[in-house]
Amino acid sequence: MVIQHHVSGYEAFGQLMGGLKAPFLAHVYFTGSKEPTGESWCPDCNQAWPVVEQELDKLPADSHFVVVEVGDRATWKDPSCAFRKDPQTRLLVIPTLKRWGAPQTLEGAQCEKPELVSMLFTHSDDD
């Protein structure tokens, strides 16, 4: 069974990823933080999430899936946002879906395409 995690903020994300026992396979979905309505302030993230969620069953059983809330709109838009500056994340847009530690990344509207999400989840580095 896929191990799912949900964290808010850069520090919580770093702690989670640092605590995973290597070697591990993880896919990370970066999204805007949720508002009191339960939806993200980011409309693109809200549009992409159902597509990503429907493809989760394609992930390998022993892998990790991490949802990371990057912060409110002001935090995300700040050019010095830690998620933008970190060489491991280097986020340019949200939503972003990454295979952790690998170059495979989907950004923005790409996360709304089931065939791309499925490919990211199912193809290994060896394919």
Side-chain angles (χ1 to χ4, degrees):
M1 173 176 241
V2 174
I3 305 160
Q4 295 191 38
H5 310 271
H6 190 122
V7 295
S8 295
Y10 183 75
E11 285 185 29
F13 172 65
Q15 288 175 354
L16 172 70
M17 298 308 284
L20 295 179
K21 190 171 184 164
F24 62 88
L25 173 63
H27 291 82
V28 184
Y29 179 73
F30 296 94
T31 183
S33 293
K34 290 193 181 351
E35 296 185 318
T37 62
E39 289 198 336
S40 170
W41 59 263
C42 170
D44 295 338
C45 299
N46 291 328
Q47 195 152 339
W49 174 244
V51 176
V52 173
E53 188 175 37
Q54 83 179 13
E55 298 297 322
L56 289 177
D57 64 343
K58 300 205 170 86
L59 286 169
D62 58 345
S63 68
H64 296 265
F65 180 75
V66 184
V67 175
V68 182
E69 294 183 23
V70 300
D72 62 15
R73 183 175 170 79
T75 300
W76 169 247
K77 292 292 185 181
D78 183 344
S80 63
C81 173
F83 287 105
R84 294 178 182 275
K85 297 281 191 179
D86 186 314
Q88 289 187 292
T89 56
R90 288 194 181 139
L91 296 185
L92 300 174
V93 299
I94 54 172
T96 293
L97 180 61
K98 296 175 91 52
R99 180 175 302 156
W100 192 248
Q104 293 87 345
T105 302
L106 299 176
E107 296 177 324
Q110 293 175 326
C111 297
E112 298 173 26
K113 299 185 182 326
E115 65 278 7
L116 294 179
V117 174
S118 176
M119 190 180 322
L120 182 76
F121 285 170
T122 59
H123 287 78
S124 71
D125 294 336
D126 299 330
D127 289 345

